[in-house]
Amino acid sequence: MNESAWDGTLSASEFSASAQAFAEKWKLNNPAYPPWTWVKSLEVPIFATNQVSLVEEGYLSLENVCIVKSNDDEVASCVEGEASLYDKEDEESTDSATLTSSGNDNVQPYYFDFHIIYSASFRVPVLYFRAYCSDGRSLGLNEIESVLPANSAKVLLESKWTFITQEEHPYLNRPWCKLHPCGSSDWMKLLFQAVEKVDRPAMELYLVSWFSVVGPVIGLGIPIQMLKEP
Amino acid sequence: MAAKRENGSILQFAPFQSSVDEGFWHRLSSLKLNKFRIDDSPIPITGFYAPCSHSQVSNHLTLVAESLPADEDEQSSVPAIASGNRNRCSVPGILYNTNTLEDFRALDKKSLLKQEAKKIWEDIQSGRAMEDSALLSRFLVISFADLKKWSFHYWFAFPALVLDPPATMVELKAASQWFTLDEAESVSKACNEWRSSNSTAGVPFFLVSIASDSRASIRHLKDWEACQGDGQKLLFGFYDPCHLPSNPGWPLRNLLALICSSWNLKSVDLFCYRESRGFADLGLSLVGKVLLHGLQFHRDHKDLPNAVGWELNKDRAVPRSITLAKSMDPTRLAISAADLNLKLMRWRALPSLDLDKLASTKCLLLGAGTLGCEVARRLMAWGVRKITLLDNGKVAMSNPLRQSLYTFDDCLNGGKYKALAAVTSLQRIFPAVEAEGVVMAIPMPGHPATSQEVDGVIDDCTRLHNLIDSHDAVFLLTDTRESRWLPSLLCANANKITITAALGFDSFLVMRHGPGPLPNASKADAANALSDEMESLALSNREQQRLGCYFCNDVVQPTDSTSNRTLDQQCTVTRPGLASNASSLAVELCVNMLHHPDGHLIEQLPFYRTFACVDSELALGILPHQIRGYLFDFSQMKLVGRSFDRCTACSLTVVKEYRERGLEFLLQAINHPTYLADLTGLTELTKSANSFDIDWDDDGDDDGFADI
């Protein structure tokens, strides 16, 4: 492929290969976090001449990443109670063997799910994410921004490349947040020209480089070792 | 408060906590709507939990979309969820979903809890729990799904058989402190294997057997007999969701009940298994010695013990509720999609776009015809939400072709009122629009009111005055010249953003009126402070600098232009492409005005600035005064017209007269055919122009005289 100018995008099969490489490097270099798993979705057969090749479609998933905030930062009140619904306390709730005051009243955990999904129309990976309270209630966008670590919120505000929108997850049909991809190809191109000084990268490294820009926005760091050749 | 007993303090268990993924509610809603409908029989569900994996946060029993039973038709995504996977272990439960809130409140919680506790007790007695230990953590949920408001009320119960007298704890400490180093290593290894194997990962209760050579192995509960003897240490282990250092999690309660019932042991060693980063963490895991008293639970005693377990909500015995309107209500989804579109525009192209301002600007559209329909649609596309349409006509058979808010149905049976049909149409396009329709005729000079009509005309004038006062931007989109007179006057009086659009056969005019000659009434107090001389000086300066209105170019007053017209003149024929062109420009001009830093008044701009304001802050573009478009050669011209001091609509004379005499003045203007011309001095001007003696040169110099 001797294209004169690379446009910053990658193909679906390049994405799949790059995703595997990314997941492996992450597992090796980032033990503090659980590993990314590849979730398979539809398999679309592609007929090429006389052979049938199956292009496996799927996405990378990292779920249940827990961020703990102290109760002093009043972020999101989770599920409300129905104060007026019951007049008297029920006797059956507790006995002497039930611990009534728990020690974790001063911390509030929030859980994040991250999916990296390929966008066929933009031809770039897109980061989808959502956050929820411990009782399952989803956080709204402004709540998420206040839960994310302080420096990632800053990156979000200042960077002209990052824009969070709420859209339907392409496979799960539920509203998720995503980092809008329309600038991705532009800055990927810049990244490779400026930093790597090559016109076109080895596609396997695409996702690693892409994540080095996108990760800090949502508070996921990437260790330096991942960016180096193995 | 732990009560002290002879053999240690009462063992207190941390209650299980529930977590319901929104996908569960989505699925329940759809099952309720499509499958169950009013059937409220209990539904078997599956909960999932995993051992604690965080030192500060306990794990929860989670319900997800897959927790509900699979549809017979749905093949794909719900195959082997029943068997646990590494991350979560499945637990059987039951859901009582009621049809009304009253039913929800009326459920007999005591008896429901007892029913589930009985199932656990019977599983213990029969030995089923020994085979399938997940049955020990059976749970119960009651719920009410309000599918109109998209809110869900629910309450979990984790039935735990009460030991009487309660178990006491002799000691409980971190597993790493209890085991020797070799034992610890071996136990970790055995646990990791147990957790990685598909056949055992979902088994939450087990035995830890440590041989004298420190080698540990994990066994099923049913192998207890086989593990006796040989100097082995035997601990009862379970997946502990709790993170606390001095308390075990709730699932232990029913395990102790099983132990009491099956083997009548007096003391047991326990292993509360917790993980971190996917592997056994013996610093977080606990080991303890617990004493069990009494013979209540011996297998000869068949009575059902008491049970507790309704989940507390912030320490109160009340149910929980959650509202999902934001992600389920289609109107809300439409709103957020529309907002997203505009925000994208702001992000990618126009950072200075003020979306809040657009959303809150109240727009009044006078005329709901060809121009009115198009202007309304463009405004909605810009995120304007408050739109009022005024028109006294009904939808005629020819209208839907050119007036984009109407359909054929609106014409039937004499035709709906345009203003009202337009509102309905706007709401069908975007439910969140705040649109209002006013069916009213605009009083016009040259169309005198009879004595019966006078009161109606007065009402209409007042109504129009109030409408203009209560809106921020007014669009003059009617089809006659004289119908624009009163609105122009009122807008000049109130200093509102006023945009006129008018169509010829193949040409159009779009213009923004200049500000009125007088500041708003509320500012009059400040003006009073000036001396009379200064005041008149200030006013006359303002007059000269002001941009003009639609009537400033006229040297005749507006009269009846509709009577005595030929048929083609009556039908206001225009080329179809004109209306959308003109309407779009009108709206874009208005948006530019709203973004101008001087606000809509844009007063006293020097001549050149009115024409081409190329300030850097005006990222949206310039603010021309008038745009005239010609389809004949597909061209557009930008013009400037200053205010005319004898204008019948916006001159100082007229506005002052209106402020002083109000409705009386309006009636006079409407009824008397030359009153306005006399008042402003147009009559005089015309006379003097006519009397002007022009000496025509006979040289044949053919300099074209410009038309006035």
Side-chain angles (χ1 to χ4, degrees), chain B residues 173-243:
Chain B
K173 55 182 167 185
S176 50
Q177 290 171 13
W178 203 89
F179 294 127
T180 66
L181 273 177
D182 288 337
E183 287 172 339
E185 201 184 308
S186 186
V187 166
S188 293
K189 189 157 167 280
C191 288
N192 291 335
E193 277 168 15
W194 182 267
R195 289 283 290 150
S196 323
S197 157
N198 275 338
S199 54
T200 53
V203 177
F205 298 95
F206 46 88
L207 295 168
V208 180
S209 162
I210 306 182
S212 38
D213 63 354
S214 298
R215 258 196 311 184
S217 61
I218 312 256
R219 311 286 294 272
H220 290 270
L221 288 178
K222 58 187 176 188
D223 296 339
W224 187 80
E225 307 275 335
C227 292
Q228 296 304 304
D230 296 350
Q232 287 172 2
K233 286 195 229 180
L234 200 59
L235 300 104
F236 286 92
F238 73 104
Y239 292 168
D240 187 0
C242 174
H243 72 284

Side-chain angles (χ1 to χ4, degrees), chain A residues 6-27:
Chain A
W6 177 55
D7 62 356
T9 63
L10 82 174
S11 72
S13 48
E14 284 168 341
F15 171 76
S16 298
S18 185
Q20 309 282 15
F22 175 77
E24 278 160 24
K25 283 194 164 211
W26 177 277
K27 204 164 171 180

Side-chain angles (χ1 to χ4, degrees), chain B residues 413-436:
Chain B
N413 301 318
K416 300 198 182 114
Y417 277 112
K418 281 187 175 182
L420 304 178
V423 164
T424 312
S425 186
L426 290 178
Q427 285 166 342
R428 230 182 268 131
I429 295 169
F430 188 64
V433 70
E434 294 161 50
E436 215 192 295

Side-chain angles (χ1 to χ4, degrees), chain A residues 90-195:
Chain A
D90 267 332
E91 321 85 46
E92 308 294 315
S93 300
T94 60
D95 63 340
S96 58
T98 308
L99 185 67
T100 44
S101 68
S102 48
N104 58 348
D105 275 348
N106 51 350
V107 291
Q108 185 80 274
Y110 298 98
Y111 298 89
F112 280 77
D113 290 342
F114 300 103
H115 288 177
I116 301 179
I117 306 182
Y118 180 71
S119 161
S121 47
F122 286 97
R123 291 175 48 88
V124 290
V126 185
L127 181 74
Y128 283 80
F129 61 97
R130 69 175 191 131
Y132 45 99
C133 294
S134 52
D135 45 30
R137 188 190 71 94
S138 280
L139 292 185
L141 191 46
N142 37 348
E143 293 167 313
I144 292 182
E145 283 173 4
S146 50
V147 169
L148 287 176
N151 47 336
S152 78
K154 196 158 156 286
V155 169
L156 199 60
L157 279 173
E158 291 175 358
S159 163
K160 66 188 270 278
W161 300 114
T162 56
F163 182 66
I164 296 185
T165 72
Q166 217 162 2
E167 265 186 42
E168 280 232 334
H169 189 289
Y171 299 115
L172 300 181
N173 293 320
R174 201 93 345 112
W176 278 54
C177 294
K178 76 177 198 192
L179 280 185
H180 205 280
C182 59
S184 296
S185 59
D186 294 333
W187 52 255
M188 277 304 288
K189 209 162 117 180
L190 280 180
L191 187 71
F192 274 93
Q193 284 165 4
V195 177

